[in-house]
Amino acid sequence: MESLGVLLPIPMNAYLESELDRRYKVFRLWESPPERRQDFIRANAAAIRAVVGNSKAGADADTIDALPRLEIVACFSVGLDKVDLAKCRERGIRVTNTPDVLTDDVADLAIGLAIAVLRRLCQADRFVRSGAWLSKGGYKLTTRFSGKTIGIIGLGRIGLAVAKRAEAFGCPISYYSRSEKPNTNYKYYSNLIDLAANCHVLVVACPLTEETYHIVNREVLDALGPKGVLVNIGRGPHVDEPELVAALREGRLGGAGLDVFEQEPDVPEELFGMENVVLVPHVGSGTNETRNAMADLVIGNLEAHVMNKPLLTPVV
Amino acid sequence: MLSKATRQLIERPGEVASGRLQCCLGVAIFRLLMRSGVGTGGRGDPVPPRPRSTRNPTRFPALSTTICALEKTGHSLSSDMFGLPRSHLMASGSESQGRRGTERPQVLLLRRPLSVLHEALSARFQLLRPWESPVPFDRFLAAHAAGVRALLVTGLTPVDGPLLDALPALRFIVTTSSGVNHIDLAECARRGIAVANAGTIFSLDVAEYAVGLLIDVLRRVSASDRYVRRGLWPRAGDYPLGSKLGSKRVGIVGLGSIGSEIAKRLEAFGCSISYFSRSRKPQVPYTYFPSVGDLAAESNVLVLSCALTKETYHIINRDVMSALGKDGIIINVGRGALVDEAELVKHLMQGEIGGAGLDVFEHEPAVPEELFCMDNVVLSAHFAVHTLEMSSELCQLMIANLNAFFSDRPLLTPVLVRT
């Protein structure tokens, strides 16, 4: 039986790649210079039946059109914003992602970012490393995280995991979602501005879709306010980034913990000088344990597909 | 004669946070305190804190006294900061001067406290401020503190036998810390001096700080924040992977109020909790280990949240670090001297331990510089307690303990009672 041809658009993970190499024929798109990539795809289209995508690159309409034999898109992420799902449905292409295995890491980071911003952890670390403790002494009063109201946008797996952790700090939980969730005691807001106005820390934990693009806009930031903190562990485009920078610059927003940005890996440099922000380079699922588990899930889905068995974590 | 160490500490300038910052913060919290009506009545007599419903939310007792006191320490004030016209305040100045002399109890301070606390205390007590005096500390005490019965210790200033010798009338010491390792309790007991501390008011702040440090170490939050701010993400690519917090085996050294709050929080992250404590606590669901070495051998992470005593000095030594292992993480929000710091630095430099989150050090503010280039270490300057919320709670607690002492009622947070 013909070995599965797998298109890998960008390097993702060494373990994943070696597992793919062991089983399949891997086509590494990044090995061609950018101007030759269309040719590369055309030249190998006959062999490519699978694409492995992630948060940065997946299978958009053009890619799908260029791969007439494409059968499955297996994402090395839980987010599917880089996959044209409608087109996949239309073509009968299966799509899988990596839910659950990364839920804990992303939720851990959300809380870690909130504490780091409110308690100025990175600032303290910089303070000590600069030698300032010796010469300047002194301290700053920061804001306690425990007991603060947390507002969550999207109460899915990750949102619920954030809520569970925050509850252990005595934080009341509210959320905004497309619809109210039946089995929770958390306070539901049908309007995001109201949620923002009534919480201290606002966490973005929903999928990126056309509806949620720039869902955190100027009005939401103003409602969150000069003492409010935004934590984004979703996707950069959830937030109107220029508005976010302006709100921080002008003191209309209290602080931000950001794992994602609109144009990764570029981050607005104005943020680099701010004490009330924490900036991390899309490390939400970035642990050895989790990336290995995600890789296993990608391989598991591809293997199931090849053997005509039920997919492990299908979306389409 | 005061010990040289004590004298040096006392004569060193107090907090050097900017005067303006102190004033601004102080005003905000002073207003908060005034609104909540904590403390003494308007005449300055120590009275028990009244129930909330009877408090007068609009009174500003002895504000001008506070201003006079602050002006003496070099703070300059404008009406903007207090929100009141200065003329109003100066008019009542002489009135409160007269009140200050006789009725309010004396409290000795050794160093200038945080503005927040200073203002709250000045409004209720007659403060003895040796740092304002041109005479040496010993002579100040001899001249002014012969009759002082209460001492408020800030900044972990040591209280030892020689200092106590200079305060023959002292019957009460209250410290703004939870730890009391800087106070010679045996000497206090011998002299019949009661001691109170800050109780458990720091527990929430320290516990969340410990969790924040642990997430930071495992997930490289501060290190990758540095990476981004240096512009390395576009140039050098993705940041190396960290380590997952869930299912880590966390060993807590000292399961008191802080340790319990830490345990509760980390359980929600999927950690398993074990502990070492002076005695087993049958009512907690965590696994007890009879020694720190045994705890370390069965843990990936050690969190230090116990008091510093003779028994716990360097409790985290080379053997414990070896037992913890190459991937082990140490989080210290207790006291620096709980850890053999030189050994820890060696272990970190040799990759014999996985990482550390340290808020305290053996010789603060000195921090071993070898740590400054490490990405698996997160450093903080003894900040775990310093929140706005704690600050206002601390003022209330210090004042309440002093009031209790002066009115011969039980202390709220005693460490040592007079027998």
Side-chain angles (χ1 to χ4, degrees):
Chain A
M1 166 151 168
E2 171 202 0
S3 176
L4 185 74
V6 179
L7 176 69
L8 201 52
I10 54 169
M12 289 175 198
N13 178 276
Y15 168 67
L16 172 64
E17 280 187 47
S18 75
E19 290 298 300
L20 289 169
D21 281 332
R22 280 207 306 126
R23 294 169 171 76
Y24 313 121
K25 182 154 173 46
V26 181
F27 297 90
R28 290 170 164 77
L29 186 62
W30 72 90
E31 284 178 349
S32 297
E35 63 277 9
R36 305 275 287 276
R37 282 178 194 167
Q38 289 296 81
D39 293 337
F40 178 85
I41 291 183
R42 214 173 295 128
N44 295 292
I48 294 173
R49 293 190 285 137
V51 170
V52 172
N54 72 351
S55 63
K56 297 180 215 176
D60 57 12
D62 289 340
T63 306
I64 295 171
D65 280 338
L67 298 170
R69 293 195 68 206
L70 184 59
E71 296 167 4
I72 180 168
V73 178
C75 291
F76 184 63
S77 62
V78 68
L80 296 157
D81 41 289
K82 293 290 195 233
V83 179
D84 190 329
L85 295 172
K87 191 132 194 128
C88 288
R89 276 188 201 102
E90 192 189 299
R91 282 264 308 264
I93 296 168
R94 307 303 306 277
V95 180
T96 66
N97 63 351
T98 60
D100 297 317
V101 294
L102 48 64
T103 299
D104 287 340
D105 270 0
V106 179
D108 293 350
L109 185 68
I111 300 294
L113 286 172
I115 298 176
V117 173
L118 282 172
R119 299 300 307 273
R120 295 286 192 269
L121 280 181
C122 307
Q123 176 68 4
D125 185 277
R126 279 192 289 270
F127 178 75
V128 175
R129 283 176 205 250
S130 71
W133 194 9
L134 264 173
S135 56
K136 288 207 254 162
Y139 73 98
K140 258 185 198 162
L141 290 179
T142 56
T143 304
R144 180 185 289 166
F145 170 72
S146 298
K148 292 293 182 295
T149 303
I150 311 298
I152 304 177
I153 306 178
L155 205 65
R157 285 172 290 250
I158 294 174
L160 279 169
V162 172
K164 175 176 161 205
R165 284 151 176 75
E167 279 190 300
F169 291 79
C171 297
I173 310 291
S174 331
Y175 69 102
Y176 164 78
S177 201
R178 279 172 302 187
S179 59
E180 191 165 358
K181 306 280 173 189
N183 295 322
T184 84
N185 287 330
Y186 306 142
K187 188 169 162 69
Y188 174 67
Y189 285 89
S190 55
N191 176 304
L192 180 53
I193 307 256
D194 290 341
L195 176 70
N198 288 288
C199 72
H200 197 125
V201 179
L202 184 65
V203 180
V204 183
C206 60
L208 179 64
T209 63
E210 268 165 28
E211 291 78 35
T212 62
Y213 173 79
H214 279 196
I215 196 175
V216 179
N217 56 18
R218 187 190 169 106
E219 287 70 37
V220 172
L221 294 169
D222 282 342
L224 188 49
K227 290 198 170 53
V229 173
L230 177 73
V231 172
N232 193 359
I233 40 131
R235 288 285 181 266
H238 276 127
V239 177
D240 184 336
E241 204 160 271
E243 285 293 349
L244 172 66
V245 176
L248 287 164
R249 179 199 311 134
E250 294 161 23
R252 290 180 285 113
L253 180 67
L258 307 170
D259 184 39
V260 286
F261 304 86
E262 288 211 75
Q263 306 292 337
E264 293 169 23
D266 294 319
V267 174
E269 285 188 19
E270 202 180 332
L271 299 175
F272 294 177
M274 295 184 185
E275 277 182 20
N276 55 344
V277 303
V278 174
L279 312 165
V280 294
H282 205 146
V283 293
S285 62
T287 65
N288 286 299
E289 296 91 332
T290 293
R291 291 285 167 84
N292 287 350
M294 288 164 66
D296 288 342
L297 201 43
V298 168
I299 300 292
N301 276 303
L302 290 173
E303 281 293 282
H305 174 74
V306 159
M307 299 202 297
N308 248 320
K309 293 209 175 123
L311 300 179
L312 303 180
T313 48
V315 176
V316 174
Chain B
M1 246 331 87
L2 293 175
S3 68
K4 183 177 175 197
T6 304
R7 202 164 351 110
Q8 275 177 343
L9 262 161
I10 290 163
E11 286 166 359
R12 208 170 62 189
E15 287 72 29
V16 273
S18 78
R20 188 180 153 81
L21 175 65
Q22 278 196 336
C23 277
C24 289
L25 284 172
V27 170
I29 291 169
F30 190 66
R31 278 179 167 154
L32 186 74
L33 286 171
M34 291 301 104
R35 270 201 296 279
S36 67
V38 168
T40 65
R43 288 194 174 79
D45 298 333
V47 297
R50 287 163 295 146
R52 212 176 173 81
S53 57
T54 65
R55 287 184 192 145
N56 178 350
T58 61
R59 204 180 58 241
F60 285 83
L63 193 53
S64 57
T65 308
T66 307
I67 295 172
C68 292
L70 283 169
E71 283 184 318
K72 262 191 164 175
T73 62
H75 291 267
S76 69
L77 304 164
S78 71
S79 63
D80 295 338
M81 290 197 204
F82 282 90
L84 292 168
R86 251 171 99 73
S87 56
H88 162 83
L89 300 165
M90 293 320 291
S92 57
S94 56
E95 184 191 325
S96 57
Q97 292 269 9
R99 282 210 297 267
R100 187 185 12 179
T102 47
E103 293 189 24
R104 286 184 296 158
Q106 274 191 341
V107 176
L108 172 65
L109 301 171
L110 301 177
R111 303 167 74 179
R112 184 169 359 142
L114 317 178
S115 286
V116 177
L117 183 56
H118 199 179
E119 286 162 22
L121 293 169
S122 299
R124 293 163 180 79
F125 305 106
Q126 184 196 345
L127 299 180
L128 298 182
R129 302 184 185 87
W131 66 88
E132 290 183 354
S133 168
V135 311
F137 185 69
D138 300 13
R139 288 216 272 133
F140 177 92
L141 291 188
H144 302 285
V148 81
R149 299 172 58 220
L151 165 65
L152 188 143
V153 179
T154 61
L156 304 176
T157 311
V159 177
D160 54 14
L163 175 60
L164 295 175
D165 283 338
L167 302 168
L170 193 67
R171 289 294 171 267
F172 177 56
I173 299 172
V174 62
T175 174
T176 56
S177 56
S178 285
V180 288
N181 53 293
H182 54 296
I183 298 176
D184 189 335
L185 293 178
E187 281 296 321
C188 290
R190 204 167 65 75
R191 295 152 200 265
I193 298 173
V195 179
N197 68 349
T200 59
I201 67 165
F202 300 134
S203 301
L204 299 185
D205 303 296
V206 178
E208 71 185 29
Y209 209 76
V211 174
L213 284 174
L214 179 55
I215 298 175
D216 195 325
V217 174
L218 287 172
R219 302 297 300 276
R220 299 286 193 267
V221 175
S222 288
S224 63
D225 174 277
R226 277 197 294 278
Y227 186 81
V228 171
R229 285 179 203 246
R230 284 186 198 140
L232 291 173
W233 194 10
R235 298 203 317 259
D238 285 340
Y239 195 79
L241 299 178
S243 178
K244 187 180 163 99
L245 175 57
S247 27
K248 286 284 187 290
R249 292 167 294 147
V250 175
I252 300 184
V253 181
L255 201 70
S257 177
I258 295 173
S260 303
E261 295 288 346
I262 293 172
K264 185 172 97 174
R265 283 153 176 71
L266 287 178
E267 275 193 302
F269 290 82
C271 298
S272 68
I273 309 290
S274 314
Y275 70 103
F276 163 77
S277 208
R278 276 172 304 190
S279 57
R280 186 192 290 263
K281 296 175 198 276
Q283 70 277 19
V284 306
Y286 315 127
T287 307
Y288 172 73
F289 284 89
S291 82
V292 180
D294 291 343
L295 180 69
E298 297 300 319
S299 301
N300 310 115
V301 177
L302 285 181
V303 181
L304 312 182
S305 49
C306 62
L308 177 63
T309 63
K310 278 203 294 274
E311 292 77 33
T312 61
Y313 174 80
H314 279 198
I315 195 174
I316 308 301
N317 56 21
R318 177 173 27 176
D319 292 338
V320 170
M321 291 181 215
S322 298
L324 186 59
K326 271 181 178 317
D327 293 326
I329 309 284
I330 293 176
I331 303 295
N332 193 359
V333 289
R335 286 287 180 269
L338 292 171
V339 176
D340 182 340
E341 198 163 277
E343 272 300 324
L344 177 63
V345 173
K346 248 198 327 200
H347 272 69
L348 284 164
M349 289 181 65
Q350 288 163 5
E352 295 296 316
I353 201 162
L358 307 169
D359 185 44
V360 287
F361 301 86
E362 286 210 69
H363 307 288
E364 295 170 19
V367 174
E369 288 187 14
E370 296 92 328
L371 303 178
F372 291 177
C373 59
M374 296 181 185
D375 279 352
N376 57 341
V377 166
V378 179
L379 307 169
S380 171
H382 210 147
F383 287 159
V385 304
H386 289 303
T387 61
L388 287 160
E389 293 83 353
M390 175 287 300
S391 183
S392 100
E393 289 160 13
L394 179 67
C395 287
Q396 292 182 39
L397 183 60
M398 293 295 104
I399 287 164
N401 270 300
L402 284 164
N403 285 340
F405 167 71
F406 286 122
S407 42
D408 220 7
R409 285 176 293 111
L411 301 173
L412 280 78
T413 45
V415 173
L416 191 63
V417 292
R418 271 185 296 166
T419 46

